[in-house]
Amino acid sequence: MSSKHIARERSISRWFAATALIAVALTGVGSAAADALLEPPVFASRDGVLDIMMVAMPQPIAGIAFRPPNSSTTIHPTGWVYQVCPRPPSGLSCPPDSRTVSPYGGVRLAMQPGDMLKVRYVNRLPKLDPLKLRHQTDPGEANLFLNPTNLHTHGLITPARSATRSDPTFGDFVFVTIFNQANGIPAPQSTHQHRPIVMDSVDYKITIPANHPSGLYWFHPHVHGIALNQLAQGLSGIITIGGVGNHVRGDAVGTPWPDTHVRHLMLKEIQVLAGRTINFDSGPQPVVNGEVLNQEDTTFCTQLPASGEVRQGSCPGQDNTASGGNNYTGGNWYMTVNGQQFPTVPITAPDGEIWRVATGAGSLSWDLQLVNDATNNPMTVQLIAIDGVAVHLPQDTTPGAMVQMAGGRFRVVPCPDVTQIGATVPVCVNEIVMMPSSRTEFWVTYRNAAGKITPPPHGASATLKMVGLTMGTGDAWPAVDLAKVLFNQSGPRLFTSNRVVVGGNTDAFGLHAQGGIFTSEVPGAGALAAVTTAAESAASAASCAPLPRGHRRRIFFGFSDVSVNNTFALGYEEVDERGRVVPGTQKPGPNQLERFDPAHTTVCLPLGPGQTPVKETWELVQLSTENHNFHIHQTRFTMTGGNGGVLQDNFPLGVAAPDATIANLVSSNQNGVCTISQWRSGHCASPAKVFDIPFAELGEFVYHCHILEHEDGGMMARIRVVPALH
């Protein structure tokens, strides 16, 4: 039997316009036995608190067995994992008992709205070879080889709080760096210094607001310059707030969707090398069998398999020396689900399952399809949530509007035989693109070729595939089979007829309704404002003024110097109600972009009157012919002009299109990146993406491109939210 791997050459924002398949290759499905997919280990809150220790440490990956060429020895490559346990009474180590786990696939932290997450976070990561680090010589980054780390709870709407004398714990504060004392003491840096710097461990105390939306989130390290390395080596896990039943029920009954019909999938990928010499930024360096390439190379594998090649959870390294690249032959690029290589997913519940899918990839984008093994056609699934918030779309929403609001991340198809229930329309898709940091939840049950729900024929199966995807200027992510799905469903359905019903106070509209997190007074803001000194008030009024009515913020994504490759940077300016640039607001200067400096605050804003959330309008301008993925911490956003039913925390920006007068200049002399002046003159077509962004949490945090190669290279900026003065 064979199945089709399909690759479409496209920009993420344009791929639905493509009508032709660019490349099709045949490969065997394979029949190797696979282990059943396991759920990630769960640490759940009790009595409103989840109190754990989390140790970042190296560990062989049991689920990956790498055999170097011309060798009979099997190597389990060393990943970096979070060892997690209930917090012990003292010390910086988890006890060696059954309550301590350290799976490469990650754990799940299960909490409820109103909970407190308390983490003692310990750095036991190894020191690195500075000659194999990309940003070691960047300003302020001389200590990267000491492998500092920290913790970010991605997607949670929670205060970005630093430690104080009265409270030495941290909130979700990404500027703290934790060093392993065994690796050496960090040297002071004269510029771009990351502070505060602590040794060995910190305590986090992260508040989940009582009106926080239920949903799927995740956690990972966020140290600038090395975030990609640490994710690529395995550091990430899942967070859930509440349960699927908070916003999903079947169309046949009114009861919440049962937890027994829910799966959590964490997608991870890791590149493992065969021993030889390869080129790093510093020059040629030797690597050993089983070493992990944690800076990652998109050309590691061919995009499509060779004729007859079976790719079950991995693809083989290729020789790129003819094109000036590295020789990766003998190595493997592994793509796992919950740390398992090509597991089996048996679906036995007659009503099917809701899959909650997160990605721990740093730069890779997943193009997912569930392909029927008998027909080789993608199967239809119903979309439930994006980035942890339930999708709630009125009945008059067109398929085109669905695609636009979600940034072209889904191929929308009809939902057969559905009847109207309430005011919402179900969203069905048969292809899902997950850029780094995105999460997707969808309902999986057997459907026939027309997308109708039917009892599965005997032996019905499908393959969850990573379809070959080409990005912007050419990053070609490979096609790999991720898991085998067995439809062993029998008996009557108890909850569903033709759809699941999505909605409630945790959907996109509920967050903006009365009592929602984006309308209610911000907890603690009034108390902070009351103790603010006169000098602090004056400084805040001068630097943190609210946007005037009708004004918006404009963010540019490009290079600080287009003549120098990989100088990833952001630019900023304020525009008035007529679209004119407000004089004196451009940062770092007129028509300039700046690489991230943790000492610089680009945006500062106060809450609204009465310490209520404030909503701003931002427009994002893409100057690159390479894709970027906008993400902002501590909040969500909706596309301006949309109906508010799709609320996200990351958004693919597509690519810029230089016209014929500058196309060769941009390609040959500007590394594929336009300048702001070329965009203003109309020679670089890139319509701004415009979003409404509510701010409901205090503190200092960041916005950035969540392709971590770009973030680590400088495409990030600091933002601060303070209490209102009145």
Side-chain angles (χ1 to χ4, degrees):
M1 182 183 294
S2 65
S3 64
K4 295 182 179 179
H5 283 276
I6 303 171
R8 296 174 181 84
E9 188 166 341
R10 60 191 177 238
S11 155
I12 288 291
S13 64
R14 299 179 181 176
W15 68 296
F16 286 101
T19 57
L21 300 182
I22 303 302
V24 177
L26 298 178
T27 181
V29 169
S31 57
D35 293 331
L37 180 68
L38 301 175
E39 277 283 299
V42 179
F43 288 81
S45 61
R46 295 184 60 183
D47 300 323
V49 177
L50 177 56
D51 193 358
I52 58 175
M53 177 175 284
M54 187 178 293
V55 183
M57 57 183 283
Q59 177 178 283
I61 304 172
I64 294 178
F66 172 68
R67 180 166 293 179
N70 303 316
S71 174
S72 59
T73 302
T74 296
I75 296 174
H76 295 288
T78 298
W80 299 340
V81 302
Y82 289 120
Q83 184 182 76
V84 185
C85 63
R87 188 198 296 244
S90 62
L92 300 180
S93 299
C94 282
D97 60 34
S98 60
R99 298 187 304 168
T100 295
V101 298
S102 53
Y104 165 73
V107 303
R108 176 164 71 93
L109 308 181
M111 293 175 289
Q112 303 296 323
D115 279 353
M116 176 76 72
L117 172 61
K118 300 173 71 175
V119 180
R120 173 154 292 169
Y121 189 96
V122 182
N123 184 356
R124 291 291 179 262
L125 295 174
K127 185 162 56 175
L128 302 175
D129 184 344
L131 297 177
K132 296 178 180 179
L133 287 179
R134 176 156 294 167
H135 300 291
Q136 179 68 25
T137 59
D138 287 1
E141 304 288 29
N143 292 313
L144 284 185
F145 77 103
L146 298 177
N147 214 0
T149 189
N150 59 17
L151 180 66
H152 170 50
T153 55
H154 182 118
L156 294 188
I157 306 171
T158 183
R161 177 182 58 81
S162 183
T164 62
R165 287 186 178 181
S166 60
D167 185 352
T169 66
F170 287 86
D172 186 5
F173 190 75
V174 299
F175 302 102
V176 60
T177 49
I178 309 158
F179 286 81
N180 180 357
Q181 192 163 212
N183 295 340
I185 305 301
Q189 301 296 293
S190 58
T191 64
H192 293 72
Q193 180 66 285
H194 295 255
R195 294 186 182 278
I197 293 172
V198 297
M199 304 306 297
D200 292 331
S201 72
V202 301
D203 283 349
Y204 287 94
K205 188 170 67 177
I206 297 173
T207 304
I208 314 299
N211 52 3
H212 196 285
S214 296
L216 178 66
Y217 309 92
W218 67 301
F219 59 90
H220 63 89
H222 209 291
V223 173
H224 178 61
I226 203 171
L228 173 60
N229 303 61
Q230 295 189 352
L231 263 77
Q233 200 116 11
L235 289 179
S236 60
I238 290 174
I239 296 174
T240 54
I241 305 297
V244 169
N246 293 127
H247 51 262
V248 178
R249 62 180 175 86
D251 61 348
V253 296
T255 56
W257 189 263
D259 290 341
T260 54
H261 295 12
V262 175
R263 286 189 189 270
H264 298 86
L265 288 73
M266 172 59 92
L267 306 180
K268 292 191 178 184
E269 38 89 30
I270 191 167
Q271 296 179 345
V272 179
L273 298 164
R276 58 168 46 89
T277 296
I278 66 172
N279 289 312
F280 291 86
D281 287 5
S282 65
Q285 303 295 334
V287 298
V288 300
N289 284 329
E291 184 172 334
V292 172
L293 182 65
N294 57 30
Q295 196 57 55
E296 288 203 331
D297 187 342
T298 183
T299 67
F300 194 98
C301 298
T302 60
Q303 185 178 42
L304 298 173
S307 177
E309 179 189 342
V310 177
R311 290 186 173 182
Q312 293 185 336
S314 69
C315 59
Q318 66 172 327
D319 186 353
N320 299 304
T321 53
S323 58
N326 281 318
N327 181 5
Y328 297 120
T329 56
N332 273 308
W333 191 349
Y334 295 94
M335 299 186 183
T336 61
V337 185
N338 295 349
Q340 296 173 252
Q341 185 179 349
F342 197 68
T344 295
V345 186
I347 298 181
T348 58
D351 290 285
E353 301 176 346
I354 288 179
W355 288 8
R356 315 183 83 183
V357 185
T359 167
S363 291
L364 177 143
S365 292
W366 308 83
D367 190 349
L368 302 178
Q369 286 188 331
L370 185 62
V371 176
N372 188 309
D373 291 331
T375 65
N376 295 326
N377 291 321
M379 299 183 70
T380 297
V381 299
Q382 183 183 336
L383 183 66
I384 303 298
I386 300 173
D387 296 343
V389 177
V391 173
H392 184 141
L393 297 175
Q395 289 288 347
D396 60 356
T397 305
T398 65
M402 296 178 194
V403 171
Q404 181 187 27
M405 286 185 291
R409 291 195 275 179
F410 308 94
R411 182 181 294 277
V412 177
V413 296
C415 287
D417 298 333
V418 296
T419 56
Q420 181 168 336
I421 299 176
T424 64
V425 58
V427 182
C428 285
V429 300
N430 68 5
E431 189 166 4
I432 299 170
V433 174
M434 295 181 66
M435 293 193 77
S437 85
S438 64
R439 287 91 63 214
T440 306
E441 301 170 61
F442 49 89
W443 176 41
V444 181
T445 192
Y446 184 81
R447 297 173 184 258
N448 64 18
K452 295 185 177 182
I453 300 170
T454 65
H458 178 72
S461 67
T463 303
L464 178 63
K465 293 178 177 287
M466 160 67 172
V467 182
L469 174 65
T470 301
M471 308 287 289
T473 52
D475 281 350
W477 304 119
V480 174
D481 293 350
L482 300 176
K484 175 69 67 179
V485 181
L486 306 178
F487 292 100
N488 298 326
Q489 298 167 276
S490 61
R493 282 178 273 159
L494 303 177
F495 305 100
T496 60
S497 295
N498 296 295
R499 61 178 286 192
V500 294
V501 181
V502 181
N505 61 5
T506 62
D507 65 20
F509 288 112
L511 272 64
H512 291 92
Q514 185 175 0
I517 198 167
F518 291 139
T519 60
S520 302
E521 181 178 346
V522 176
L528 283 176
V531 299
T532 301
T533 66
E536 290 171 332
S537 296
S540 178
S543 62
C544 294
L547 276 180
R549 182 183 298 273
H551 286 218
R552 59 180 61 180
R553 305 188 194 274
R554 178 182 287 157
I555 313 297
F556 294 98
F557 289 71
F559 282 3
S560 61
D561 184 347
V562 294
S563 68
V564 180
N565 197 21
N566 296 329
T567 55
F568 296 103
L570 296 173
Y572 171 85
E573 63 190 22
E574 182 183 326
V575 296
D576 66 16
E577 66 278 5
R578 297 184 181 180
R580 300 170 300 188
V581 178
V582 177
T585 63
Q586 294 169 303
K587 298 179 182 179
N591 297 327
Q592 294 178 337
L593 288 81
E594 180 182 34
R595 301 176 74 182
F596 177 65
D597 184 339
H600 293 180
T601 297
T602 300
V603 175
C604 190
L605 62 100
L607 294 173
Q611 310 303 342
T612 57
V614 61
K615 186 179 75 172
E616 296 191 341
T617 300
W618 289 29
E619 61 176 55
L620 313 178
V621 178
Q622 163 69 295
L623 299 175
S624 304
T625 57
E626 177 180 19
N627 289 100
H628 297 306
N629 188 34
F630 171 68
H631 170 59
I632 186 167
H633 291 202
Q634 323 308 131
T635 188
R636 291 286 191 282
F637 49 80
T638 55
M639 180 166 282
T640 302
N643 55 30
V646 178
L647 195 58
Q648 302 163 85
D649 66 31
N650 74 98
F651 193 91
L653 297 182
V655 294
D659 67 17
T661 64
I662 65 167
N664 185 65
L665 175 67
V666 170
S667 175
S668 301
N669 300 89
Q670 297 182 190
N671 292 291
V673 181
C674 297
T675 65
I676 295 176
S677 297
Q678 288 168 334
W679 176 79
R680 291 195 202 281
S681 67
H683 290 295
C684 186
S686 184
K689 306 292 185 183
V690 185
F691 298 98
D692 293 325
I693 307 181
F695 293 93
E697 295 296 344
L698 298 172
E700 295 175 284
F701 48 99
V702 291
Y703 57 90
H704 60 89
C705 175
H706 215 293
I707 297 174
L708 295 188
E709 175 190 354
H710 305 170
E711 175 200 308
D712 283 341
M715 193 169 273
M716 183 159 68
R718 185 171 182 141
I719 181 172
R720 182 178 180 220
V721 180
V722 301
L725 296 179
H726 305 289

